[in-house]
């Protein structure tokens, strides 16, 4: 039995090895085990865009993310529940993490109105009105049958005044308490998790305050939210430097919506266990490949007559078997297969990067691994033909 | 060795069984054997839209079609040649049939000017000017490394005056001679074919005249063009009734751009061996599934909470393993996976339909097969839940 197949009746987290602050862990639950550090492909509306779920799994994903905001609007949480839950609906029988919906209410919906109670908004699809409260967010995530649920929080864009960051952070803490209460009414809550979300913007003191208040709630995991929202990488890393030490060692830590391969490795070095990001899937649909030697823009004319693959040493057919010339042609022609192949390649690269990180931490060689990855990115792509 | 793996150094066609006018044959060439009756998936611009080539092959396709018009504009015939030909470029090592480009010059390009020499036109992509002559069309098809090439012809929309139909048909005959001469300059022409194209619109006498003139040219195969261009099905079938008997028994017959499952079975009964059509792929991208029980529009709200698959008895995962509710959701949400799954389903259905036809002809039971298929289409889809 491989590690990913090991499950536990209750949700448990084990740190199996550490190297500096980097952690090699396993988050186990009835539907499977998430090997950490983990990158979670984003399955926004019940599909990882342009991928078959079998491919996503075969690349090494132990968990995917579903977006509460998208799914509550279409097809609707009650409908997904009636159809057997999100795992059954989307044909992904392995762990699923859902966000709270809050982030996308703020970024996508219209006529938002925020109060202590929650947030009302209009659907970006058809303008119909919804209310999302902490309790409703958790209820929706339960209807989706989510294994790892998120508290509703208020995530603000940076830069922002400290008073505004503090107000949103304090509101998020009060919502965390309400979400925890709602979560504990789920009959099988032992088999699942509800994570609290550390907020506090780019303010170290507020981050520390938020982390400690959430720690006192004794939640099953801790997300770090409100980063990668416009601030420089150094600010994000500085926030991780002050936040991670405040979080309990024995609980998983999830940095939301991050990021580039470099963001991931630097965050792992600071003690982060889990990531999600649309970058590999979105970039793939827009003609960009992530490889061991950095990003490649397949739209570029330099690839038009290049018979070489993206990376002949990759195990992923998309990276190994298709010429750059063909990928260039598909991207330029807006052919679906272009997005399919580049998404496949990019998710493969992200999973390989995480597998490498896990192996390196077990071998107590994480710093070397980071240095080797950085050197390869800096070397850059092979010269043009 | 299965039949599809048998090849021959020269291109050969064998009729292995007949049932009435329906023929079960094998068109063999170095890259593989096409089992006929055959449906050829359309790989317009070097990709069968939203499909991996491995999937296309696994469904039973022995040959795909490439569009000369699209490929000459982008990435360009000389470029494809430099990259090893279309088989290598698109990763399809099996037989490829190409059209002449003429049909799409007429339907897609701007500022067309037709003369005895050929046709000049502007690209629909960037407005650049091209000339397509019979000789250049064959040259392009050779650069693409096409196994089965088409003569350049003039295909006109119906209805049209007889004089216009006759003019275009006679021009097409003169172009057939020029294409044959050009084809015979290809060093390995014995391993390939150039098909002539019967024209003559909806006029029986002109169809007969065209077929006989082409027969006299002793070509390796005969296409029937200029049908399914707006006329009723009965007109198309009447043209097949007069055309097929004029064509040599020992040569393959290809009905271009046709059609619905019903069109295919009725045409096979009249002696047609090969088909291509964008219907299954295009319909799939637009939310329509072809099944044993007719067409299903997945956009329809009746599917929104239907957990049943399209066809639980299909061997195709897209038909068998995904709920209609999920397909409905994907189509409504414009998710790439919707088009991927429905295209897969539709190509699977078309290949299964042809496999059934081949089996039935071998068993001298083609009429029964046709009747059984028609009865199932008429029964229609399962009742809504």
């Amino acid at each position: 039995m491989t590690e990913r197949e090991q499950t536990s009746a209750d949700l448990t987290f084990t740190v199996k090895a550490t190297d500096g602050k980097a952690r090699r862990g396993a988050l186990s639950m009835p539907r499977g085990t998430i090997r950490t550090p983990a990158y979670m492909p984003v399955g926004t509306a019940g599909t990882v865009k342009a991928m078959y779920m079998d491919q996503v799994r075969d690349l090494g994903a132990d968990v995917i993310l579903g977006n509460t905001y998208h799914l509550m609007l279409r097809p609707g949480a009650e409908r997904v529940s009636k159809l057997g839950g999100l795992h059954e609906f989307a044909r992904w029988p392995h762990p699923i993490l859902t966000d709270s919906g809050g982030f996308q209410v703020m970024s996508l919906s219209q006529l938002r109105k925020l109060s202590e109670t929650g947030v009302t908004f209009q659907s970006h699809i058809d303008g119909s009105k919804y209310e999302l409260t902490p309790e409703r967010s958790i209820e929706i995530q339960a209807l989706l049958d989510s294994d790892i649920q998120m508290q509703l929080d208020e995530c603000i864009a940076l830069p922002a005044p400290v008073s505004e960051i503090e107000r949103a952070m304090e509101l998020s803490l009060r919502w965390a308490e309400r979400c925890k209460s709602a979560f504990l009414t789920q009959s099988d809550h032992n088999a699942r998790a509800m994570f609290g979300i550390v907020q506090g913007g780019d303010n170290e003191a507020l981050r520390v305050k938020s982390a400690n208040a959430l720690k006192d709630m004794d939640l099953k995991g801790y997300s770090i939210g409100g980063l990668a929202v416009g601030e420089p990488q150094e600010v994000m890393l500085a926030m991780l430097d002050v936040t991670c030490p405040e979080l309990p060692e024995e609980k998983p830590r999830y940095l939301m919506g991050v990021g580039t391969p470099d963001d991931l490795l630097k965050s792992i070095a600071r003690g982060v266990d889990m990531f999600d990001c649309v970058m590999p899937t979105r970039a793939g649909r827009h003609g960009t490949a992530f490889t061991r030697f950095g990003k490649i823009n397949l739209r570029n004319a330099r690839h038009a007559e290049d018979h070489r693959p993206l990376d002949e040493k990759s195990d992923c057919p998309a990276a190994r078997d298709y010429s750059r010339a063909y990928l260039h042609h598909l991207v330029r022609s807006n052919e679906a297969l272009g997005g399919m192949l580049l998404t496949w390649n990019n998710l493969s690269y992200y999973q390989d990067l995480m597998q490498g990180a896990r192996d390196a931490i077990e071998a107590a060689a994480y710093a070397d691994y980071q240095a080797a990855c950085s050197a390869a990115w800096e070397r850059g792509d092979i010269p043009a033909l």
Side-chain angles (χ1 to χ4, degrees), chain A residues 12 22 62 67 75 90 98 222 234 256 275 288 357-358 372 374 380:
Chain A
T12 60
D62 294 329
N67 283 126
T98 46
Y222 294 92
E234 311 85 74
M256 305 182 84
F275 304 90
T288 295
R358 292 191 295 266
S374 290

Side-chain angles (χ1 to χ4, degrees), chain A residues 345-358:
Chain A
N345 170 80
N346 291 353
L347 288 179
S348 169
Y349 177 66
Y350 267 65
Q351 294 299 348
D352 286 354
L353 188 71
M354 292 298 99
Q355 183 61 52
R358 292 191 295 266

